[in-house]
Amino acid sequence: MSHLTPQERGSLPDSAFALPEKRAYPIDTRARASNAKARATQEYERGLLTAEEREQIDKAADRRLAQDD
């Protein structure tokens, strides 16, 4: 998975994020969608995400993972 530069991240549409209102958890690629799910689980367990946010991330990432590239 390649690193997103600030310019690349800024050019992504809101729809490329699992939490578009925060522009957090990019899911523009299958690898980033998979990573978003893993990070959401970690942050939920640390108390940094609500159950609703984690569910929203998982659902958005699952939709991306179900797409054919």
Side-chain angles (χ1 to χ4, degrees):
M1 177 173 51
S2 65
H3 176 73
L4 275 174
T5 66
Q7 295 80 11
E8 291 169 330
R9 186 181 181 93
S11 70
L12 291 174
D14 287 348
S15 62
F17 294 90
L19 291 179
E21 64 280 358
K22 294 182 178 182
R23 291 187 57 84
Y25 301 93
I27 55 170
D28 58 316
T29 65
R30 293 177 59 83
R32 289 192 183 110
S34 180
N35 188 56
K37 288 178 63 94
R39 299 293 77 75
T41 297
Q42 288 178 337
E43 293 200 354
Y44 173 74
E45 290 172 353
R46 291 178 59 206
L48 300 173
L49 285 177
T50 66
E52 294 80 18
E53 288 172 322
R54 180 183 177 198
E55 184 177 336
Q56 181 180 348
I57 293 164
D58 281 349
K59 285 182 179 182
D62 287 343
R63 282 191 303 271
R64 176 60 182 103
L65 290 169
Q67 293 175 356
D68 290 333
D69 282 35

